[in-house]
Amino acid sequence: QKEVEQDPGPLSVPEGAIVSLNCTYSNSAFQYFMWYRQYSRKGPELLMYTYSSGNKEDGRFTAQVDKSSKYISLFIRDSQPSDSATYLCAIRQTGGSEKLVFGKGMKLTVNP
Amino acid sequence: NAGVMQNPRHLVRRRGQEARLRCSPMKGHSHVYWYRQLPEEGLKFMVYLQKENIIDESGMPKERFSAEFPKEGPSILRIQQVVRGDSAAYFCASSPTGRSLHEQFFGPGTRLTVL
């Protein structure tokens, strides 16, 4: 079983739609959860990170963590064409290496 | 404040040659990480370094790959005797000293093509 699973899509939605992106993980030691956005041929940029169960909101983006189910989500409200990118979840465990374990990434296209 | 710098951005090598990838972390950052992104794959951790120390190299292939982060100068990822399977995008990330270590800021990557 992979440590982090993410549906690679692709996902195509109309402008203004609510987008839901999800990852599951297998290791209970994972305690820190991030979402990165990567535009084509660019490096990933950090969108959000959290270390507890519950929701964290930043503008149109909401990150949700359910540790009991080992499930994390990113919601994008009022999606824009500029949101078209690949979204990667990344997870890190406490007390171990600093390394991030990434999902495969979901390619999102928002159509105007 | 300049971000993480990587060079070259694109590198073409023939099989058997050496590839050297350089990474300059953000100012004030002393933690550097290297990741590899193969086509249609997510980012895979390779190595984590602090100045003059390799902290975790659990993701490095056992042969031909090495990394360093000297006291002065950029971090270097070195691939000897490259093979076609080494073709990938290599990303460097850095994180700050003393603050939260959870944020890793990524550079633009070096795209290595092995002919």
Side-chain angles (χ1 to χ4, degrees), chain B residues 3 15 29 38 41 50 61 65 69-70 77 99 105 112:
Chain B
R15 280 178 297 171
H29 289 194
L38 293 164
E41 293 287 328
Q50 293 182 22
F65 285 72
F69 189 15
L77 179 68
R99 287 205 296 129
F105 297 87
L112 172 66

Side-chain angles (χ1 to χ4, degrees), chain B residues 3 13 23 36 49-51 65-66 71-72 85 103:
Chain B
R13 285 287 178 266
C23 169
R36 178 166 63 175
L49 311 103
Q50 293 182 22
K51 287 279 188 183
F65 285 72
S66 62
K71 187 176 179 181
E72 301 291 337
E103 295 190 43

Side-chain angles (χ1 to χ4, degrees), chain B residues 100-115:
Chain B
S100 165
L101 298 181
H102 312 317
E103 295 190 43
Q104 295 185 13
F105 297 87
F106 282 79
T110 293
R111 279 158 182 82
L112 172 66
T113 301
V114 180
L115 301 176

